[in-house]
Amino acid sequence: MPNNQDPLILAIDTSCDDTSAAVTQGWVVRSNVVASQAQLHKKYGGVFPTVAKLAHAQNITATVSAALQQARINPEQLSAVAVTIGPGLAPALEVGIRFAEQFAQQHTKPLTAINHLEGHLLSVLARPNSRTTAQAQPNLDTVFPALGLIISGGHSQFVLIKQLGTYQILGTTLDDAAGECLDKIGRMVNLGYPAGATIEILAQQGNPEAIEFPLPLTHRKDFDLSFSGLKTFARNTLATTSPKKLQDAQFIKDFCASAQAGVFRHLLYKFERALAAHPEIHSVWLGGGVAANMQLRKKLRSTIRQTNKKIPLLTPYSKKLCADNAAMIGVAMNANTQNTVYTSDQLQRQPRLKFG
Ligand code: KG4
Ligand code: ZN
């Protein structure tokens, strides 16, 4: 339940292909509306920026109205507006920023710029609004330093969270992101876009050991990641598979299970090393679209257990909070980190905004 003393935030995220608006109060999500464009981009097999911009422009007003309505809030009750300024697709970011500026000006509310990646990272701190699903807030006196994993369609990073607002990037992908890799592999076997969730379902009925994917970057002691070799391996495997086998439903399930296992094995290999190198870590935080994957969560927990560490894996309370959404932007604002309050003529989109 929200504490009525906590400030009410209207948060907006249009960084990629989802138009999202949310109302948060403290850590509590009072509403979180997402207008997905997945259907529009399906035929391109990825996100087409100008199509995304147009769809954001069409959806943003109704999305914000729905978020306010679901939270039973009128604009005058808000304390502030928070908007994602990057990283993301420039034309898509622009729509959310301009809308937020206009809204803030019209209702004379302060406007805060938020980094989308900080949103994903802090999404584990979000709490549900209802009494029935009440969950205890992680104890912020005992969880730091934490190891954060941002595993999404655009990013794959290991982050040392020393405190809220104090982040150090330990490792990052050198090429594709983990979700992007799953999407590209899924496209090769016509699973549509995005493919991560479909691969997870098919993988449940497949053999993860049917095809042995390579383990990248074992020669390096750092915590960087690389997924493009896995994508190439998948393509080569399919190229040398007979047309008859490619039509075989069980082969596709085995292929999905093996590809997913390959992507996760690489993540887990580097994760285990990051844990070993940082014995001071008190908790692991998992955010981003791929964090919705139950197999990944299970494997992370078992890796933590194997290292004899009794530390929790924190995950967002709902899958909706894993994918792109605005509630995580409100939560990041509540963390009251190094966000800068901008006046409206200073707010610039930052498609390549860095983090940490
Ligand atoms: O966080 P997100 O919505 O967007 C970015 O900021 O990138 O992540 C989208 C990614 C896609 O690559 C999608 O395939 C993947 O998350 N994804 C999953 C699952 N659900 C979504 N990957 C694996 N298992 C899932 N269940
Ligand atoms: Zn994202």
Side-chain angles (χ1 to χ4, degrees):
M1 290 290 286
N3 175 349
N4 286 338
Q5 307 302 313
D6 285 335
L8 279 161
I9 308 296
L10 170 69
I12 293 173
D13 184 287
T14 60
S15 58
C16 191
D17 60 339
D18 291 315
T19 313
S20 184
V23 174
T24 55
Q25 186 164 30
W27 303 115
V28 173
V29 179
R30 300 216 17 188
S31 65
N32 190 17
V33 179
V34 180
S36 170
Q37 302 174 10
Q39 284 304 325
L40 279 178
H41 298 285
K42 224 169 196 154
K43 59 175 176 283
Y44 307 108
V47 181
F48 205 83
T50 47
V51 173
K53 180 183 176 168
L54 202 66
H56 283 311
Q58 281 166 352
N59 292 337
I60 186 90
T61 306
T63 307
V64 169
S65 298
L68 291 168
Q69 205 169 34
Q70 285 179 24
R72 296 172 206 272
I73 292 298
N74 67 59
E76 306 323 314
Q77 290 171 274
L78 292 166
S79 300
V81 179
V83 66
T84 299
I85 56 159
L89 297 172
L93 289 163
E94 187 74 18
V95 177
I97 294 170
R98 295 286 88 87
F99 184 94
E101 266 177 4
Q102 236 173 33
F103 186 97
Q105 228 163 35
Q106 186 186 345
H107 300 285
T108 48
K109 305 292 174 188
L111 179 59
T112 299
I114 302 287
N115 186 317
H116 180 79
L117 294 178
E118 189 173 18
H120 275 308
L121 191 66
L122 303 188
S123 58
V124 304
L125 300 176
R127 293 300 101 188
N129 195 19
S130 76
R131 277 174 206 277
T132 47
T133 49
Q135 283 183 340
Q137 177 69 29
N139 183 346
L140 294 180
D141 293 330
T142 59
V143 289
F144 300 114
L147 175 59
L149 278 65
I150 305 170
I151 315 291
S152 73
H155 301 272
S156 298
Q157 289 189 334
F158 293 126
V159 185
L160 184 63
I161 311 169
K162 295 176 182 171
Q163 280 296 330
L164 290 179
T166 313
Y167 310 118
Q168 181 192 338
I169 303 298
L170 298 179
T172 194
T173 183
L174 305 173
D175 39 60
D176 292 350
E180 182 182 5
C181 176
L182 290 170
D183 291 342
K184 286 177 175 170
I185 290 176
R187 194 177 169 190
M188 293 173 201
V189 286
N190 303 318
L191 297 185
Y193 172 85
T198 312
I199 290 179
E200 180 179 16
I201 293 167
L202 292 173
Q204 284 162 4
Q205 293 172 35
N207 174 9
E209 290 169 9
I211 303 160
E212 194 182 336
F213 275 65
L215 186 57
L217 300 187
T218 49
H219 61 287
R220 291 169 55 144
K221 286 196 167 27
D222 60 22
F223 313 116
D224 283 339
L225 300 154
S226 167
F227 294 97
S228 68
L230 298 178
K231 176 186 64 185
T232 308
F233 179 85
R235 186 176 296 120
N236 292 342
T237 301
L238 293 174
T240 53
T241 302
S242 72
K244 185 164 175 250
K245 212 165 176 188
L246 289 175
Q247 299 300 318
D248 175 4
Q250 189 56 48
F251 170 77
I252 299 298
K253 289 172 184 170
D254 290 345
F255 174 77
C256 286
S258 302
Q260 180 179 274
V263 168
F264 292 170
R265 198 157 71 101
H266 176 39
L267 276 172
L268 290 157
Y269 177 87
K270 292 288 178 172
F271 172 65
E272 193 178 338
R273 270 157 187 70
L275 271 187
H278 290 277
E280 75 277 20
I281 281 163
H282 279 75
S283 60
V284 178
W285 300 16
L286 178 65
V290 186
N293 189 293
M294 290 301 161
Q295 184 67 10
L296 177 61
R297 294 182 185 192
K298 194 171 141 193
K299 288 198 171 282
L300 286 168
R301 287 200 174 94
S302 92
T303 303
I304 294 170
R305 266 199 308 276
Q306 278 161 23
T307 58
N308 283 328
K309 282 185 191 283
K310 289 200 168 49
I311 57 175
L313 173 73
L314 307 186
T315 54
Y317 73 77
S318 87
K319 287 193 177 181
K320 195 170 176 184
L321 281 158
C322 296
D324 286 347
N325 70 93
M328 69 183 192
I329 302 305
V331 163
M333 175 160 176
N334 187 59
N336 199 13
T337 60
Q338 293 156 346
N339 307 316
T340 324
V341 178
Y342 292 87
T343 60
S344 55
D345 58 342
Q346 283 177 310
L347 209 61
Q348 294 294 337
R349 65 187 186 190
Q350 296 189 41
R352 294 176 188 281
L353 183 60
K354 291 273 178 285
F355 180 61

